[in-house]
Each structure stands twice: as C-alpha cells, then as structure tokens.
Amino acid sequence: KMLKWTAMSFRVQLSTDHLTVEPGNAQPLSLTIEHEGEEVEAYELSVHGLDPSWYAIPMPSVEIEPQGTRTERMLFRMPRETDSRAGIYSFVVQVRSLATGEAKECPAILEIKPYHNINVDVNPKKVSVTPTNQRGVFEVCVMNLGNQEANVQIYATDVDDQCVFEFDQDRVILAPG
C-alpha cells in the first residue's frame, strides 16, 4: 500500500505593511491568499497584537478553489477617544490552513494619528467685585480629551481691559484623558 502525501502550500500578501488611521475614521486593509494546492482549502484569518475593538474581519474563514486566489478586506477603525492613543503599533496578520495547520504571517504597522480636544470649564461663571473686595477667585478645570499628551498654556483676558488675571500655574502638561 502506497501513501500519497500532498503538500498544501499557499502564499499571503498584504496590500500595504503600513496603515495610517485617523481616530473616528476607518481604513481598509486587503489580504490576498494564493492557494497552490490541488483541492479546495479552508483558511482562517486573524490579527495579533492589536486591541480587538480596533479591527473587524468580515470573513474570518474562507474557502479557496485549487490553484485559486482570493482577496479579503479587513477594516481598521479607531474610536475617537483617549484610549486610541496616537502612536505606532506593530501587529501581525495570520492566515492558517484549517486542513494542515500551516500558518503564514504578515507583519505590519498601524499608525494612529493624533487629534486634539481640550475642554475648559471655569467656576464660578460670574464674580462681582466691589471697591472693598477687588478679588475674585475662579477654578479652571482643563481636560485633555485627545489621544496624545498636550502642553497647554492658560491665560485670560477681559474685553473691557478692567481686570488682571493671575494663575497658580499658567502652563500644564496633560496626559490623554
């Protein structure tokens, strides 16, 4: 009795190895699989190294005809929130044969673009001054709702040029969130 061994092989290629995404927007990434085998083959697609909420794989498993090629798209979508930190992230797209377990990996880089969103609140909203009480005290709350560190300079003006404002700190560095 003679055993027949067939090498199931395939090739994988990404449309790009550097993906740039602006938080709040989406960017597609195409993956092409070239199946070199003589039988229909099923493959599983996965992404490793990124927060799972940052991407979607519409077809996580696909079947390809003998000697066939198939292109699938993944969607990378960063929420516009402080947890989507600006920066460069390495990740791997993996394609694994469900028949043989053979896996191929394509390394790539995801660049999350920075965005700025500074929120300022002043309390109280209004202060009265008199000749005997010429000081008013305000509390200024500055929040960094962007996705990268912010260097903020705080200043205030009076439209009538009647007041002088002094701050305990006129420059602050705020981490995201």
Side-chain angles (χ1 to χ4, degrees), residues 29-65:
L29 176 66
S30 295
L31 168 75
T32 301
I33 305 167
E34 294 178 30
H35 173 53
E36 298 170 342
E38 300 299 324
E39 297 177 14
V40 173
E41 179 85 32
Y43 296 97
E44 176 186 69
L45 314 179
S46 58
V47 172
H48 302 278
L50 295 178
D51 184 323
S53 69
W54 289 1
Y55 62 88
I57 305 173
M59 298 289 290
S61 62
V62 296
E63 284 191 354
I64 304 176
E65 296 296 318

Side-chain angles (χ1 to χ4, degrees), residues 80-82 115-119 143-148 175-177:
R80 194 168 175 89
E81 54 191 38
T82 59
Y115 74 92
H116 305 282
N117 185 358
I118 303 295
N119 184 23
M143 291 178 50
N144 179 2
L145 302 175
N147 69 346
Q148 73 173 7

Side-chain angles (χ1 to χ4, degrees), residues 104-149:
K104 304 273 174 116
E105 293 183 344
C106 293
I109 301 253
L110 172 66
E111 179 181 351
I112 299 179
K113 301 286 268 181
Y115 74 92
H116 305 282
N117 185 358
I118 303 295
N119 184 23
V120 179
D121 190 30
V122 178
N123 281 309
K125 302 294 181 203
K126 189 185 214 181
V127 169
S128 296
V129 291
T130 64
T132 57
N133 181 16
Q134 296 183 358
R135 279 195 175 281
V137 177
F138 295 92
E139 180 177 286
V140 179
C141 179
V142 182
M143 291 178 50
N144 179 2
L145 302 175
N147 69 346
Q148 73 173 7
E149 190 174 85

